[in-house]
Amino acid sequence: MTALSNFDLEFLQWLQSHRIEAFDSFFHALSSSTTMLAILGVLVISAIYFFKKDSISKIDFVSFWVLFATSLSINAVLKFLVARPRPFVTHPEILKMYDAGPYSFPSGHTITAFAIAFGILFIIKQRMYAIPFFIWAILVTYSRMVLGSHYLTDVTASIVIASVLFAVILNKRKQTKNAAEAF
């Protein structure tokens, strides 16, 4: 095993051995809620855009959707290209506390949570209102590891992917706005 793989395993073992068992059901529910909250969030933002057009600009709405859809697409492609087994599959000492698909890298729950949190920055004008979304995303990330479904590198890669996509889309938005103002 490489040094990074050893660190990944040791960190996960440490995390599970220091977990507070009373919170296991909370973290399981939090992980389970990710898909439903993402769908609900996307539907609410879409409804606001279509029924209250003056509250979300077209560029903000499209930016949100591009970030969300691209994140999920990259996750799906990488998941099957890398085909990294779940921690509890290759290391029986890791507790399996959440049913999950066969592959671990990257973390779909984490990339979804951070895509929503970063996407909210396009929608909400007062940035401080995005803080609860980032707290939720961080808790989802922790839950994926403590439940034995992901290594630290799985969730870190997901955060990096969502962050880089956000930065690229934000930069493209600024270029588009500047070009529009130049005319």
Side-chain angles (χ1 to χ4, degrees):
M1 255 202 284
T2 67
L4 186 57
S5 295
N6 283 334
F7 176 77
D8 249 356
L9 178 59
E10 290 172 12
F11 180 77
L12 197 54
Q13 289 171 328
W14 180 85
L15 200 62
Q16 281 199 331
S17 69
H18 288 86
R19 77 183 204 285
I20 300 171
E21 291 182 33
F23 291 124
D24 286 352
S25 58
F26 168 75
F27 287 118
H28 192 279
L30 187 68
S31 272
S32 296
S33 74
T34 304
T35 302
M36 187 55 69
L37 288 175
I39 291 169
L40 183 62
V42 166
L43 289 174
V44 167
I45 288 168
S46 297
I48 292 169
Y49 174 73
F50 287 112
F51 296 112
K52 292 187 79 177
K53 288 205 182 270
D54 57 331
S55 59
I56 300 174
S57 73
K58 183 176 182 178
I59 195 167
D60 290 337
F61 181 70
V62 170
S63 297
F64 174 86
W65 264 100
V66 168
L67 174 63
F68 185 72
T70 306
S71 295
L72 297 184
S73 298
I74 290 171
N75 178 72
V77 169
L78 285 176
K79 188 96 55 183
F80 289 100
L81 284 177
V82 176
R84 183 183 197 185
R86 298 275 178 186
F88 55 77
V89 171
T90 52
H91 303 286
E93 67 273 21
I94 299 298
L95 299 175
K96 177 186 177 183
M97 299 190 302
Y98 192 88
D99 287 331
Y103 302 130
S104 161
F105 182 91
S107 168
H109 286 77
T110 301
I111 204 166
T112 298
F114 274 92
I116 292 290
F118 280 119
I120 290 296
L121 292 174
F122 292 128
I123 305 299
I124 296 176
K125 299 306 172 209
Q126 293 182 339
R127 301 293 184 230
M128 68 179 222
Y129 293 127
I131 292 171
F133 294 95
F134 281 96
I135 291 170
W136 169 71
I138 290 165
L139 289 172
V140 166
T141 301
Y142 175 80
S143 77
R144 301 309 293 153
M145 291 184 295
V146 79
L147 296 175
S149 294
H150 289 285
Y151 296 102
L152 179 62
T153 51
D154 299 338
V155 297
T156 302
S158 298
I159 295 167
V160 168
I161 292 165
S163 301
V164 167
L165 284 172
F166 173 73
V168 167
I169 294 167
L170 187 62
N171 186 49
K172 188 67 176 169
R173 285 176 74 238
K174 287 179 182 176
Q175 290 174 356
T176 302
K177 285 184 177 183
N178 290 342
E181 289 172 0
F183 284 105

